[in-house]
Amino acid sequence: MTIHHHPSDETLLRLAAGTLGAGPALVVSVHLESCAHCRWRLSGFEAMGGALLEEMRPVPLAADLFGRTIERLEAIPPEPAREPPPRKQPALGMDLPRALRHCDVGPWRWLGPGFHWSKVTIAGSPEAKVMLLKGRTGLHLPAHGHTGLEFMQVLSGSLADERGRYFPGDLDEADDEVDHRPVVGEESECICLAALEGDTRLHGLLGRLLRPFVGF
Ligand SMILES: [Zn+2]
């Protein structure tokens, strides 16, 4: 898989610092599953954050602090690793990325001719605006602009807009400068995972139709 579109430095920094919203963080996690380049970039940012914290340390630490901390940690009985059981998910006709296995994923719902969506709910962050979108070949998605960021990871098929073409593995970040109208490629249907940060204004007739369904 050749990936051409990646999350921005700012997004990866926010993920490393834990300040990226739960929805965008989920979309970026799905990107990281298939992008070794971004996993490497993220580990760099994490190391940088650790070094900064180290420098910001206000008081010198007691010489034996490390030894005492290890002693205390060793005294705590180990807890068996507990991974939450995978959620029950409807058959969507696709393999879900690993990062989605612990989310509630709804069934495909009709949005318009050749256009379906499925609501993704993140445990602990029910307010996150995340969804799977499925469009048939050649579908013109509703034109829309943003007052926040839109994160979209292509899972299958392809999409194109005024800025380029997006294939499986690609992540597109569209900010409020972008007023775009994506079109699904002709080779197959396209499935994307999308998260919104802030508001998305949907234009046009289909946009107005979408609003009450999607709720944002
Ligand atoms: Zn990447």
Side-chain angles (χ1 to χ4, degrees):
M1 185 188 293
T2 311
I3 299 174
H4 295 286
H5 300 274
H6 304 272
S8 64
D9 282 349
E10 192 196 336
T11 294
L12 287 183
L13 263 171
R14 289 172 67 202
L15 182 67
T19 60
L20 191 63
L26 178 70
V27 178
V28 176
S29 302
V30 170
H31 179 82
L32 291 169
E33 285 178 20
S34 58
C35 187
H37 171 66
C38 285
R39 289 198 298 272
W40 174 76
R41 287 168 68 212
L42 179 67
S43 63
F45 289 133
E46 284 168 345
M48 214 164 78
L52 279 175
L53 282 177
E54 201 65 25
E55 269 179 31
M56 283 158 60
R57 204 167 269 174
V59 285
L61 298 172
D64 62 341
L65 180 70
F66 182 70
R68 279 191 284 135
T69 307
I70 293 291
E71 265 171 39
R72 252 189 244 166
L73 286 175
E74 280 173 350
I76 301 171
E79 255 190 60
R82 238 184 277 145
E83 192 171 322
R87 303 269 174 154
K88 263 201 205 146
Q89 291 167 338
L92 294 176
M94 60 182 285
D95 286 332
L96 286 174
R98 278 198 305 279
L100 284 182
R101 288 191 193 147
H102 304 299
C103 297
D104 278 327
V105 181
W108 287 123
R109 296 183 206 175
W110 188 88
L111 257 185
F115 194 20
H116 291 80
W117 79 293
S118 147
K119 186 173 171 58
V120 176
T121 308
I122 303 174
S125 302
E127 74 296 342
K129 297 168 180 173
V130 190
M131 68 195 116
L132 288 163
L133 292 169
K134 179 170 73 167
R136 66 160 154 70
T137 59
L139 180 79
H140 287 245
L141 268 67
H144 57 284
H146 311 265
T147 53
L149 279 172
E150 177 188 271
F151 296 80
M152 195 144 82
Q153 170 80 11
V154 180
L155 302 178
S156 68
S158 73
L159 270 181
D161 69 7
E162 299 81 354
R163 296 161 306 145
R165 189 130 188 236
Y166 304 86
F167 292 94
D170 282 335
L171 182 141
D172 175 43
E173 270 184 49
D175 62 16
D176 48 14
E177 304 285 303
V178 178
D179 218 353
H180 66 158
R181 179 161 200 197
V183 181
V184 175
E186 292 292 340
E187 72 284 10
S188 69
E189 67 176 17
C190 177
I191 298 178
C192 295
L193 177 69
L196 305 172
E197 198 172 53
D199 294 320
T200 295
R201 309 179 306 275
L202 296 164
H203 306 313
L205 178 63
L206 189 50
R208 285 198 294 278
L209 284 171
L210 270 169
R211 246 177 207 283
F213 286 110
V214 183
F216 41 81

